[in-house]
Each structure stands twice: as structure tokens, then as C-alpha cells.
Amino acid sequence: MKKDLGSKAQYGILRGFNLKRLLTILVASSAGLSGIVAVASPASAATRSSGAAVQQYIDVNVTMKDNVFSPQRVAIDPGATIHWSNEGYNEHNIIPDKKKARWGDKLIGVGEEYEFKFEKPGVYAYFCSFHGAPGRGMFGSITVKNADGTLPKDSEQDGDGRSGSLSSSGESKTIRVPGDAKTIQGGVDKASPGDLVFVSPGVYHEAVLVTTDRIVIRGLDRNKTILDGRYELENGIKIIGANGVAVENMTARRYERNGFFWTGVKGYRGSYLTSTRTGDYGIYAFDSVEGILDHDYGSGSPDAGFYIGQCFPCDSIIRDSISEYNGLGYSGTNASENLVVANSIWRYNRAGIVPNSGDGEALAPQRKATVIGNLVYSNNNGETPAIGAAKLAQGNGILIAGGNDNLVTKNRVWDHDIGGIVSVLNPDKTVFFANRNRVINNIVSDSGEGDLATFGGEGNCFSNNVFKTSKPSNIENVLPCPTGVGVPATDVLDLQKYIDASKPPSVDYKIAKTPKPPVLAGMKNPKGAKAVPAVGIKAEVNKWKKANLKSIRMPKAITNMKTTKTP
């Protein structure tokens, strides 16, 4: 049975939220925040546990967040009811491992609940098909006890299903599609760690699931090796719990969820990928660390063209990529520490680059990302598909929503209806303040409200930027780096005005005016290049940072606004 618990906003600023009332309460409180809101504290590691003892309850409430069932494993008496409630910010579902089971729900929207009464002893395993697979990613199990209170014999569980080894049992081989396997999935199923699945040009109507460590999936031609979901399949390529998987040189289009998706992995790489017209994200890494996304393209997604979320430390980088015609160009909910967004183009989205903190995922608050060397322009597009957060963020170039200790530097940002580079608090269930963010050495122009702006937080600082307008006015004297303490402000950013403002509705991603992706450069020598799985990525990210962060220069101004040449 499904119940609607009431609609919830997507992560971010809530429609109808009264900012002035919050400020009045905060000012009245001698402790500032004491007794009013829960303030998230940094976490040092993922909060999930795997293979834990089965927890026993009478009736059980299981929450769905992005992307986990909590508790993951429960035991109940016969006749007890499980209540699943979606408290995340994405749609989820409940799919039993046994295909002919008469329970489960194919779609549970944000704020909805599903419940089922279990009568017969046994183990009922299930998963979310959007974000998991049997025993991997977002999965769970219900154990119904025997009449004498004992557990059924098949109640033993084997951890979280993730592969634990990166070693290969033999020499690597190349599996050609369609030569050695008729489908990409068939090639992946034949692969062992270290193997290359090499895909010839063609249109492949399939959704590929990868659960084998350290394989490489490569197209011969980026623009002609195409996975096409026909608006019927969920994900182009979904990698669940498989460490070190690299996907290269191909296109995914017309999927109900995501183009390319890694979840719960250590080590990932997506290079020379194109994703367009997908119903959630384009290129998506969740609960995953040590990753590189480079020379990629994402368009036509209601959430974000690129997403890295719930990681600490992320040890990841996005570079030399293009994101356009999405709700958000980049979104990074609770993506923290050793994360770089560099040398890329973010344009024609509703909003550009949006590091943010949110309650819908673990590891809040977001912190310590670096945004450097990007071209960010004309993110005012009200004709894209868009989740709620993207609609509310529309008209901003780089928007830090409740994030802390981020560095924004050497970016060229222009033509935004509201703000060029902005840091604001983010009132989710927790009010996340934006603190100690540094905005230095950027060139920002043509912003409706302020080229530089901030509201809600402390220690944010602005120095050595080229700009004309700001809120508060004279921002580099009011909030100078490094301390963020300067002369008194004479005005403030009126954030409430933008919370209450009407924004264009979302457009269905299937029919939105998303241009066909341009013909984009592919990887060099795809036939002869050695297959390199995504291992040792943390060292590679650190090596790149050491070699490039100080030498990156301000991107040059451009006259061809449709260029595909990244900075």
C-alpha cells in the first residue's frame, strides 16, 4: 500500500521558507543557533555499516534516503508490517529479488510511503532498481522469523555485495562487441578484472549493469557508439560496488534515470563520454571516491549534467568538460575534501556550479572543494528540465549553498540574472550556513543583483576579484580575505525575494529544447590504447593538482559562445 506523506522540496531552499522569521529568532537567541536548528557536523567516514547483525523489531519503519535503505536489514515476527518512507530527494522503488513476488512498488516519489504486512517466515531481499541491484548499492532485506522465534536458515547475509579485490586471476583480454558478444551487457558479463570490453559503432538499446572490478568499457567512436534507452530503460551504464571501472569514448541518450552512473565504488573514471536527455543526472558518481571525469559532456538532465555526491574525502576531479541545458551544470551534495572542478564550461543551464549541503544524503555539510579555471556563463535558462532546487537556483553562475571552506578562484563568470559568484545559507531540515568560503582572483560581470554576493554564514571572504557590483556593496572591504572581517556592511542580499520569486516550471526532459550534442573529439587511438582501469586515482588526482593548480591561468574571454574547446 502506498501513502503520500506530503510533498517535499528538492534539496535546497524551501518554497515558502520565511528567512526573516529565522533571522529574528537567531538574533533573539544568545547562542545564535542553540535550541533552534540542528547544525550538521563534519563526518570523517561514511555512516553506513555492512554485514552488521540483523536488527529485530515488531513493526519497522525503513527510511529511504539518497541512496540507502535504513535500517538495511531487519527481522520481524510473522504478521508485522514494514513501513518504507521516502525521505530523500530522489524517487526510489522497492523491487523484490524474486521476480514473481507479490509485494514491492515500482515508484515511490519524494514524500510517499509504501507498506506491506509479511505473514510467512523467510528472507525477503529487495533493492532499488534506480540506484542498486540485488545485494549491491541500494538494497535491503526483511527476515520474517519462524513461529518459535528463531531465524530461518537462509537468513545469513554476505556483507554489502561489493567486490573486495582488485586483482585479476589471469592476463587481460579484449572482448569485442558485437564480435565476441552480441551486446555490451554480454561483453561485460564475460569480462574479468583487467579486461577491455571494446564496443563497435552502433546503437545499442540496453541498460548495462557492471558488478565486476577493474574492467574498462570503451567505444570505438565517441559520437557513433551510442547507448539509447528510448525513454524506456533506466540507466545507460550502471556500476554498482565494482571498484576501478573505467568507461570511455561513447554516448548515452534517452534514459529514464542516468547516462553513466557509479555508486558505492573506490576508483572510477569516465573519459570522453557524452550524455544527453536523461531523466535524472547525466554523469553521476554517488557514495564513491577516487574518481576522474574528464573530456565529458552532459546535457538535458533535470538535476545536473555532472554530479558527485556523498563522499569524504572524495579524492576526485572533473576537468575539461562541458555541461549545458540542464537544471544544474554541476551539483555536489555533501561532496567534500580533495575535490576539484576545473577547466570546464558551464553554460545555458538554470544554474552553473552548485556545491551544496543537504539532509537527503550522508556526510553533511559539504566542504573543501576547489572550483578553478572555469568558464561559467548564461545560466538563466528557464526552458530546461529542472528539479525544484534547480528552479530556485536559476540565474546564478557559481552558487555555494550551505557549503564550507571552499575555494573559488581564477574563473571567468558572466551574464547571470541574479549573481555571478554567490554563497548563501541552505535551509533544509537542517539550516546549513555557508562559512569560510574564499572567492579570490575571479573575473565576474553582467550580473543582475551582484557579481559577488553572500548571505548567511561567517568567515566568507572576497579579494582580488574583477567585478562591478556586489551584495553587500563594496564586498571586498566588508569581507576581505583572509579573515572576512572588514568595514561594516551598508546593505545585504535580499535572499527572501528570490525564495519567493516565481520561476519557470520544469520542462519534460523528453521534449525540452535541448539541442543535439555537437560532434565532440574522442579519445586518441581507441583501437590501440592500453586498457587502464581506474586504480591509483587518488595519487593521480594529487599529482594533477600539484602540477596544475598553481599554474592554471584565468580562462580567456571567448567570442564564440558555442565553442566546445574547454579552457
Side-chain angles (χ1 to χ4, degrees):
M1 179 185 299
K2 182 184 290 185
K3 298 179 180 179
D4 189 344
L5 304 181
S7 62
K8 297 182 181 180
Q10 295 284 348
Y11 59 80
I13 301 166
L14 305 178
R15 176 74 63 183
F17 178 81
N18 193 311
L19 187 62
K20 293 179 180 178
R21 182 165 177 249
L22 171 67
L23 292 176
T24 301
I25 296 171
L26 291 177
V27 171
S29 170
S30 60
L33 294 174
S34 178
I36 301 171
V37 296
V39 179
S41 59
S44 60
T47 58
R48 300 184 194 176
S49 62
S50 302
V54 175
Q55 301 180 53
Q56 299 186 26
Y57 300 84
I58 298 175
D59 276 17
V60 177
N61 295 318
V62 177
T63 60
M64 292 175 284
K65 291 194 174 182
D66 305 332
N67 295 327
V68 64
F69 294 104
S70 180
Q72 188 179 65
R73 300 169 56 204
V74 297
I76 58 174
D77 294 316
T81 298
I82 302 292
H83 307 267
W84 287 270
S85 58
N86 187 350
E87 297 183 6
Y89 300 118
N90 291 316
E91 294 174 334
H92 297 293
N93 61 19
I94 297 170
I95 306 298
D97 284 9
K98 293 183 178 179
K99 294 183 179 180
K100 295 184 179 181
R102 297 184 178 181
W103 62 283
D105 196 316
K106 293 183 178 180
L107 182 63
I108 302 174
V110 175
E112 291 184 340
E113 181 182 83
Y114 169 77
E115 62 182 35
F116 187 83
K117 186 176 183 180
F118 290 86
E119 302 279 4
K120 185 178 179 180
V123 176
Y124 300 82
Y126 64 95
F127 62 99
C128 170
S129 68
F130 305 149
H131 307 105
R136 288 175 176 268
M138 188 174 179
F139 76 99
S141 67
I142 308 300
T143 299
V144 182
K145 293 182 286 185
N146 297 316
D148 62 1
T150 60
L151 296 178
K153 291 182 179 180
D154 56 352
S155 63
E156 295 297 323
Q157 300 290 325
D158 294 323
D160 67 354
R162 294 190 188 183
S163 301
S165 173
L166 290 178
S167 63
S168 176
S169 58
E171 292 185 4
S172 61
K173 61 182 180 295
T174 297
I175 302 165
R176 292 174 173 81
V177 179
D180 301 318
K182 292 183 179 180
T183 65
I184 302 173
Q185 185 66 66
V188 167
D189 291 344
K190 288 184 177 182
S192 299
D195 288 350
L196 169 65
V197 179
F198 191 59
V199 187
S200 293
V203 179
Y204 298 83
H205 300 295
E206 53 181 308
V208 180
L209 175 64
V210 182
T211 58
T212 301
D213 285 347
R214 226 186 85 187
I215 66 173
V216 178
I217 305 171
R218 178 188 299 165
L220 176 60
D221 188 308
R222 173 183 187 167
N223 301 288
K224 295 180 180 180
T225 303
I226 301 170
L227 292 98
D228 187 343
R230 295 188 286 198
Y231 302 126
E232 297 172 351
L233 302 175
E234 290 176 1
N235 298 282
I237 297 181
K238 180 169 66 172
I239 300 99
I240 300 184
N243 301 318
V245 174
V247 185
E248 305 168 339
N249 212 47
M250 57 179 56
T251 293
R253 70 187 185 196
R254 303 198 304 172
Y255 282 90
E256 290 185 334
R257 297 292 161 183
N258 312 293
F260 302 95
F261 175 27
W262 289 261
T263 183
V265 309
K266 180 180 180 180
Y268 64 92
R269 180 164 53 79
S271 300
Y272 298 96
L273 301 177
T274 297
S275 175
T276 188
R277 288 194 184 274
T278 53
D280 203 354
Y281 302 96
I283 301 172
Y284 180 22
F286 175 82
D287 189 28
S288 298
V289 297
E290 299 189 23
I292 294 176
L293 301 175
D294 66 310
H295 301 93
D296 296 331
Y297 175 91
S299 71
S301 299
D303 199 310
F306 291 77
Y307 184 89
I308 295 178
Q310 190 181 294
C311 50
F312 178 81
C314 297
D315 296 323
S316 299
I317 186 169
I318 299 174
R319 68 183 186 220
D320 304 307
S321 295
I322 300 173
S323 185
E324 58 185 6
Y325 301 101
N326 303 287
L328 304 174
Y330 163 79
S331 177
T333 304
N334 304 345
S336 305
E337 189 79 43
N338 204 23
L339 172 65
V340 181
V341 180
N343 294 349
S344 297
I345 295 174
W346 313 88
R347 64 189 179 196
Y348 312 135
N349 307 289
R350 297 217 179 196
I353 300 174
V354 187
N356 62 89
S357 300
D359 288 309
E361 299 178 8
L363 307 183
Q366 185 278 329
R367 55 209 181 277
K368 294 186 178 180
T370 299
V371 179
I372 183 169
N374 298 279
L375 291 171
V376 186
Y377 58 93
S378 303
N379 292 287
N380 311 298
N381 189 350
E383 297 183 342
T384 73
I387 61 168
K391 291 190 290 184
L392 290 167
Q394 182 175 323
N396 291 285
I398 300 173
L399 177 66
I400 301 172
N404 300 324
D405 301 297
N406 297 291
L407 172 63
V408 180
T409 186
K410 299 180 183 178
N411 302 283
R412 187 179 292 270
V413 184
W414 74 96
D415 183 29
H416 292 98
D417 290 346
I418 299 177
I421 302 176
V422 183
S423 68
V424 295
L425 59 80
N426 194 19
D428 205 337
K429 297 173 186 176
T430 303
V431 177
F432 294 99
F433 289 84
N435 301 311
R436 300 176 303 280
N437 297 293
R438 293 176 295 150
V439 180
I440 58 176
N441 295 319
N442 301 279
I443 298 176
V444 192
S445 63
D446 301 315
S447 307
E449 183 74 12
D451 294 332
L452 306 175
T454 187
F455 185 94
E458 60 183 15
N460 298 299
C461 72
F462 300 77
S463 290
N464 299 321
N465 300 284
V466 177
F467 68 103
K468 289 185 178 180
T469 61
S470 68
K471 286 295 176 76
S473 300
N474 199 22
I475 196 168
E476 291 195 343
N477 289 326
V478 174
L479 301 170
C481 291
T483 62
V485 178
V487 302
T490 59
D491 56 6
V492 296
L493 175 66
D494 185 0
L495 186 60
Q496 187 70 49
K497 176 174 67 175
Y498 297 105
I499 295 173
D500 295 339
S502 176
K503 298 291 178 69
S506 177
V507 181
D508 189 329
Y509 75 101
K510 300 174 185 177
I511 62 173
K513 296 178 180 179
T514 304
K516 183 179 179 180
V519 175
L520 295 163
M523 67 179 296
K524 295 179 180 179
N525 190 24
K527 283 186 177 181
K530 182 180 178 181
V532 180
V535 296
I537 296 295
K538 179 178 179 179
E540 188 174 343
V541 169
N542 289 336
K543 181 179 179 181
W544 185 93
K545 287 175 61 178
K546 184 176 180 180
N548 292 281
L549 279 189
K550 290 184 179 180
S551 63
I552 288 176
R553 296 183 179 182
M554 178 71 63
K556 293 181 179 180
I558 60 175
T559 56
N560 177 10
M561 298 303 174
K562 294 292 185 178
T563 183
T564 59
K565 184 178 180 181
T566 52

